[in-house]
Amino acid sequence: MSEHIIAAIVEHKPGVLFKITNLIRRRGFNISSISVGSTENPDLARITMVVTGDETTIEQVAKQLQKIVEVIRISRLNPSESVIRELLLVKVHVADSRARSDIVSYTQIFRGRIVDVSSDSMVIEVTGGSNKINAFIELMRQYGIKELARTGITALARGERGSRALD
Amino acid sequence: MVRMTGAKALVESLKREGVRVVFGLPGGAILPVYDILHDETELRHILVRHEQCAAHMADGYARASGRVGVCMATSGPGATNLTTGIATAYMDSSPVVAITGQVPTSMIGKDAFQEADVVGIMTPITKHCFQPRSAKDIPRVVKEAFYIASTGRPGPVLIDLPRDVQQLEADMEFPENVKLPGYNPKLEPHPLQVKKAAKLLIEAERPFILAGGGVRLSGAYMELIAIAELLQAPIGTTLMGKGTVPEDHPLCVGGVGMHGGVANKVICEADVILAVGVRFSDRTTGRFDSFCPEAKIIHIDIDSAEINKNIRAHIPIVADAKKALNAIRDEILCCTSKSNINRSEWIKRVKETVEAAKGYLECEGGKLTAPAVIREMRRLMPRNSILVTEVGQNQMWAYLHFKALMPSGYITSGGLGTMGFGFPASMGAKIARPDLPVVDLAGDGSFLMTEQDLATSIVEDIPVTVVVLNNGVLGMVAQWQRLFYRRRYSHVHLGRIPDFVKLAEAYGADGVKVENLDDFKEAFTNALRNDVTTVIDVLIDPEEDVLPMIPPGGSLKDMIWRR
Ligand SMILES: Cc1ncc(C[n+]2csc(CCOP(=O)(O)OP(=O)(O)O)c2C)c(N)n1
Ligand SMILES: [Mg+2]
C-alpha cells in the first residue's frame, strides 16, 4: 500500500467534482487529498488526488474515473518525474521575542513568508512538497499551533515525461 | 431553427431518436411534457400503475429489441420509484433513458414540494445524468443521452427536466452528431493482444469459452459459435449470457456459476478460458481467489474497468466482443488451419462429464415439480419465444432447466436480482416483439411486488403468460435457511395468499390454478394462444431445493449436487 498521485482533466461543469468524490466513496477507495483548480483551458479543470492503495486498486481508480463522461483524461504522476507542491498556512503562537526571532528564521530557511503578525501570533505561508510541509509543521509545534490549513497537493509532470496517460 | 417549448423539443427529439413507445406515469413537475403527449400520434405512451414498472418495462423492451427503452416519471416520489428499475438496468448494462420532471430551477435546493435530488440519487446507478438548465439545451441533451445509453457498454441515462425548462420557448436546433470529448468507447482490439490470444488458444489443450451478456449486447452470436467450432471449445454462459449460444448446440454445456450445472465441472478442467463480455461477477466465479487457478484467462470486454477488477486476466482485450472475436478467429486462421486443430480428447472428456451429470438434472416422472413445469414450458413454447424470470428459485430453476434457444430467449435481472422485475419486463418485451410469445416465470413473492400492473397489461392490451411457481414461500431465502441456517425459517412464509386466480380475474385477466402436470400443459397451451394475459397458479412443494449449487463463499469445485 502506497500513495499515488492521480490527475484528472475534466470538463469545467457543475456536478463533476461530486461525481468523482461519489465514485471514490462508493467503490471504497481511499484518498488523502484532493485539490481542484482551473487550467490553461477555461473549459477544463484539473483535479489532483493522492490515492492510497496497491497497484490493482490504483488501476481500478484510474479506470473507473475514466468512465465518467466529463473526465477527459486521467494520468498517473510519477513523483520522481513531477513537480509536486502544496500550500500551508499556519497560525503560530508567539510567546516572546525569542520565539518570534526563531520562527522568523525557520520561515526564512523554509523560504516561507510571514503574511500576518499580531501581538501574540503570526501567520506563515510555506509551499513545497509534503515532506517539507510536514517538517515545518513539526518545527512549529513547540511554539503552539493555533490553526493550520493545507491545500492538498497539486502537481505537474516535468518536461515531456512523467505523466502516464491511461488509454 | 424552430421555435418551440422545451417539452415540445423533448418529444420531437425522442421521435428523431426513433422512439415509438414511452412507459410512464405523470405528475405535476412533468405536466408540460404530458400536455404535448396528449396530441401525440406517433409516440405511444403506456400508462403504468407504478413507476418501478415503467423502468422495468423500458428495460425489458430494450433487452428484447436491442433498442433504447424510455421511461418517464414526475419529480420526487415518481422519480424515486424509478430507481429500483434504473439500478436493475445499470447492473445488467441495459440501454434505458429515464426522463423525470423536476421542480422549477428557481425552486431547486429549496426543499420544494416533491423535490428530490434525483441527480444525486441516480448518479451512482446510471451511466450519466443530465439536468438541462435551459430549454434550448434539450435537443442536444437527448441526442447525447441516447448516444451514451446505447454505445460502448450500454446503460441507463437520466434526463432530469426542471418544469420551467419544459415550459420555456427557445429557438431549437436539432444536432445530428454528438460532441463528447471525454467519451470515446474503444471498439477495435489491439492487434498485439489479438496475436497473443490466438497463440494461446491454438496451443491450449482444453480451451473453454465463457460467454456473458456482452456477447448479446455486441450481437456477436455468429462469431461466438464460429470461434467455438474452430477451436472445438465447449461454451458455457454466465446468467446474463444465457441464450447467446442456442443451448441445444453440441458445444454448449450450459450455465456457469452459483446455480450452474455441469459447466462448472467442465470450466474447472480448462487450461485456457476465453471470457467474452463477462464481468466475472461473484455469482459466476464463486470465491475469486479459487476461480480456475490453473487456467490462463483471455478477457474480452468493452469496459476496460472490468479487466482485472475481480479476476486477473493474462491477456486482456478491451474491445467490442464481435470485433475481437472476428480478429482472433482471423489471426488463428492465419497461423494454422482448422484441420490442424485437434481437440478430440478434450471433446470426448467433456461429453463424458456431461453424460455423467445428466442423472442429476432428471425430473421424477409426472410430478408437478418446478423443473418438470419448466421443461414442459420449453417443449410447448416455440423456439423463438421469450422467457422472462423473476428472482429466486424460479429464476435459478429456469437457469438450469430451460434451454434458451435465441439471444433474448432468457431475460432476467442478473446483477441486482430484483424481485418484481419479471412481469413488467415481460410486458416491455412483448411491446418490443408483439409477434413472439412472452412468458414470465414468477415466484409468488416476486409477482406480488409488481402485480398491480396487470391493470396495464389489460388496459394497454399487452398479453403475456405469467406462470407463478407458487410454493408459498420466499423460496430462495427459505432454501438458504434450510441449508445453511439449520432450517430456522425466519419470516419467509407467505401463506399462499392471495388467490392468484381471483387476483387475475379482478383485473380482467384470466386465471387458472393447476395441481398436476397434465393440467399445467393444457393451461399453458391455452395461455400461449390467449389474447389476454393469463396467470397460471402452479402449486408446488415449498421444500424443493434448487440444486446443484455452490455454497456461499465456496468455489466452483465445491458444488453441492444433492441435499
Ligand atoms: C426486491 C427484493 N427484495 C428481496 C430480495 C431477496 N430475495 C431473493 S430471492 C427471494 C425470494 C423470492 O421469492 P419468490 O418470488 O416467491 O421466488 P421463489 O424463490 O420462491 O421461487 C428474496 C426475498 C430480492 N432479491 N429482491
Ligand atoms: Mg415463492
Side-chain angles (χ1 to χ4, degrees):
Chain A
M1 298 280 259
S2 53
E3 291 200 327
H4 303 257
I5 304 167
I6 290 184
I9 302 292
V10 305
E11 288 185 67
H12 213 319
K13 282 187 183 167
V16 180
L17 183 61
F18 161 71
K19 282 191 179 179
I20 289 185
T21 51
N22 201 30
L23 186 149
I24 286 167
R25 173 198 59 80
R26 152 166 115 80
R27 298 221 177 242
F29 301 135
N30 266 319
I31 55 171
S32 55
S33 100
I34 182 163
S35 69
V36 190
S38 48
T39 67
E40 72 284 0
N41 179 338
D43 297 332
L44 302 180
R46 185 179 181 94
I47 301 182
T48 311
M49 285 162 275
V50 178
V51 189
T52 312
D54 56 18
E55 194 51 40
T56 315
T57 310
I58 304 302
E59 181 188 333
Q60 264 296 302
V61 175
K63 285 173 167 179
Q64 295 291 354
L65 288 172
Q66 185 75 74
K67 278 167 58 170
I68 295 174
V69 171
E70 294 94 335
V71 171
I72 309 286
R73 186 160 54 89
I74 296 286
S75 48
R76 286 176 63 178
L77 296 176
N78 182 339
S80 62
E81 293 171 349
S82 310
V83 184
I84 301 169
R85 290 293 180 270
E86 186 175 5
L87 172 73
L88 166 77
L89 290 175
V90 60
K91 187 185 285 175
V92 188
H93 178 65
V94 182
D96 49 28
S97 55
R98 168 85 192 274
R100 185 179 309 273
S101 68
D102 282 2
I103 294 169
V104 169
S105 40
Y106 281 133
T107 304
Q108 278 165 356
I109 296 169
F110 276 76
R111 282 188 239 138
R113 292 200 308 148
I114 292 161
V115 288
D116 185 61
V117 180
S118 75
S119 59
D120 65 346
S121 72
M122 282 197 273
V123 178
I124 303 150
E125 168 195 312
V126 178
T127 59
S130 299
N131 288 344
K132 175 178 166 189
I133 304 273
N134 290 341
F136 188 76
I137 292 170
E138 279 315 308
L139 279 172
M140 290 302 111
R141 282 202 200 285
Q142 55 186 309
Y143 306 104
I145 292 173
K146 294 183 158 203
E147 264 185 285
L148 178 158
R150 300 172 73 150
T151 56
I153 67 157
T154 190
L156 279 183
R158 292 178 198 275
E160 295 294 305
R161 297 160 300 133
S163 123
R164 191 143 55 92
L166 288 131
D167 57 355
Chain B
M1 263 194 285
V2 209
R3 199 157 178 84
M4 60 176 88
T5 64
K8 177 90 186 148
L10 174 80
V11 173
E12 187 57 36
S13 302
L14 291 178
K15 290 199 285 191
R16 284 174 186 246
E17 292 301 322
V19 177
R20 288 186 281 252
V21 56
V22 173
F23 307 93
L25 190 147
I30 197 156
L31 279 174
V33 172
Y34 272 82
D35 192 52
I36 303 292
L37 290 177
H38 182 69
D39 301 326
E40 184 49 52
T41 50
E42 287 166 50
L43 205 62
R44 179 174 178 197
H45 177 274
I46 291 181
L47 177 66
V48 295
R49 299 299 183 269
H50 188 302
E51 292 89 346
Q52 181 186 347
C53 289
H56 289 323
M57 286 174 85
D59 186 354
Y61 175 90
R63 296 191 203 208
S65 66
R67 305 157 58 88
V68 176
V70 182
C71 56
M72 216 177 252
T74 190
S75 67
T80 56
N81 271 352
L82 285 180
T83 49
T84 300
I86 297 304
T88 304
Y90 182 67
M91 287 295 268
D92 291 344
S93 308
S94 188
V96 168
V97 167
I99 297 159
T100 49
Q102 182 55 279
V103 301
T105 29
S106 61
M107 299 296 283
I108 290 179
K110 308 281 193 291
D111 298 322
F113 177 63
Q114 296 196 324
E115 179 183 4
D117 175 14
V118 177
V119 170
I121 293 167
M122 296 278 197
T123 291
I125 53 169
T126 50
K127 203 170 159 186
H128 193 62
C129 289
F130 293 95
Q131 191 184 67
R133 294 297 182 106
S134 88
K136 71 165 188 357
D137 291 341
I138 287 179
R140 176 185 55 78
V141 161
V142 174
K143 184 96 214 157
E144 291 177 355
F146 276 73
Y147 181 71
I148 293 170
S150 60
T151 54
R153 176 180 184 172
V157 174
L158 171 78
I159 305 175
D160 193 38
L161 281 181
R163 202 178 66 206
D164 53 326
V165 176
Q166 301 168 41
Q167 270 161 337
L168 287 173
E169 280 196 352
D171 294 323
M172 301 291 178
E173 220 172 324
F174 293 88
E176 291 293 326
N177 298 307
V178 295
K179 263 201 286 264
L180 292 162
Y183 180 76
N184 305 296
K186 185 172 174 293
L187 300 178
E188 297 295 338
H190 196 292
L192 202 70
Q193 298 300 88
V194 168
K195 273 208 167 62
K196 284 196 222 163
K199 181 163 180 291
L200 189 60
L201 287 166
I202 292 169
E203 287 166 4
E205 285 176 12
R206 299 179 307 281
F208 185 95
I209 300 176
L210 181 62
V215 174
R216 181 173 66 77
L217 293 166
S218 149
Y221 319 112
M222 293 304 172
E223 292 71 12
L224 181 74
I225 290 179
I227 203 156
E229 288 176 350
L230 173 62
L231 293 167
Q232 294 162 57
I235 312 176
T237 68
T238 67
L239 189 67
M240 298 314 296
K242 188 177 172 77
T244 53
V245 48
E247 291 189 288
D248 54 359
H249 189 281
L251 284 171
C252 180
V253 292
V256 173
M258 180 171 267
H259 285 291
V262 69
N264 284 345
K265 283 199 153 188
V266 179
I267 196 174
C268 286
E269 294 185 8
D271 63 347
V272 173
I273 296 171
L274 174 63
V276 194
V278 307
R279 63 183 177 85
F280 288 113
S281 130
D282 52 283
R283 281 296 198 262
T284 295
T285 60
R287 269 180 57 165
F288 293 144
D289 56 6
S290 51
F291 174 74
C292 302
E294 266 93 65
K296 291 224 159 41
I297 293 171
I298 303 165
H299 188 181
I300 302 173
D301 204 279
I302 199 160
D303 179 356
S304 75
E306 289 306 336
I307 308 287
N308 296 343
K309 187 183 78 181
N310 293 348
I311 299 288
R312 277 210 93 72
H314 298 82
I315 304 178
I317 301 180
V318 179
D320 170 62
K322 189 174 188 153
K323 289 186 190 292
L325 287 177
N326 264 332
I328 295 173
R329 182 165 172 270
D330 289 350
E331 182 63 29
I332 293 173
L333 288 173
C334 247
C335 304
T336 183
S337 71
K338 184 165 179 173
S339 54
N340 279 342
I341 303 177
N342 181 358
R343 297 267 161 63
S344 49
E345 286 274 318
W346 170 229
I347 291 298
K348 187 161 154 263
R349 168 102 190 119
V350 172
K351 290 247 146 69
E352 284 165 7
T353 313
V354 171
E355 261 333 289
K358 260 199 176 133
Y360 288 96
L361 293 179
E362 285 308 315
C363 316
E364 277 178 69
K367 270 209 193 150
L368 191 71
T369 61
V373 167
I374 290 166
R375 283 159 181 242
E376 279 313 327
M377 284 167 58
R378 175 68 282 175
R379 268 193 279 278
L380 296 170
M381 284 162 74
R383 215 181 148 80
N384 56 0
S385 320
I386 297 176
L387 182 77
V388 186
T389 78
E390 297 289 350
V391 166
Q393 291 184 309
N394 56 84
Q395 176 185 34
M396 293 305 150
W397 275 316
Y399 188 43
L400 278 161
H401 297 280
F402 186 86
K403 288 206 184 309
L405 302 175
M406 67 162 216
S408 298
Y410 177 83
I411 292 178
T412 199
S413 165
L416 202 66
T418 309
M419 291 169 70
F421 164 83
F423 174 52
S426 71
M427 286 195 283
K430 183 72 185 177
I431 298 278
R433 298 303 306 267
D435 52 323
L436 303 181
V438 179
V439 178
D440 172 35
L441 181 70
D444 45 343
S446 299
F447 186 48
L448 283 184
M449 290 208 176
T450 45
E451 57 67 18
Q452 77 287 331
D453 272 74
L454 277 168
T456 307
S457 109
I458 299 302
V459 175
E460 294 283 347
D461 190 18
I462 315 169
V464 296
T465 301
V466 183
V467 175
V468 183
L469 292 177
N470 186 353
N471 50 10
V473 282
L474 298 169
M476 186 55 92
V477 182
Q479 174 170 342
W480 282 49
Q481 292 177 345
R482 184 158 51 246
L483 297 179
F484 311 116
Y485 290 85
R486 294 173 286 126
R487 291 184 167 267
R488 286 161 51 82
Y489 294 119
S490 181
H491 305 281
V492 287
H493 292 292
L494 300 170
R496 304 242 190 209
I497 280 206
D499 178 331
F500 285 104
V501 173
K502 284 192 186 150
L503 180 81
E505 286 170 358
Y507 286 104
D510 286 342
V512 199
K513 191 189 294 297
V514 300
E515 291 180 54
N516 64 59
L517 206 52
D518 284 333
D519 287 355
F520 175 75
K521 286 186 215 170
E522 192 191 324
F524 190 66
T525 310
N526 292 338
L528 291 180
R529 282 198 297 254
N530 199 350
D531 51 13
V532 296
T533 290
T534 313
V535 178
I536 307 179
D537 184 12
V538 185
L539 296 172
I540 60 165
D541 176 6
E543 294 266 319
E544 220 178 322
D545 287 323
V546 185
L547 288 173
M549 83 173 289
I550 311 288
S555 76
L556 296 187
K557 281 208 161 77
D558 308 327
M559 281 234 270
I560 303 174
W561 287 87
R562 285 240 154 95
R563 192 144 119 197

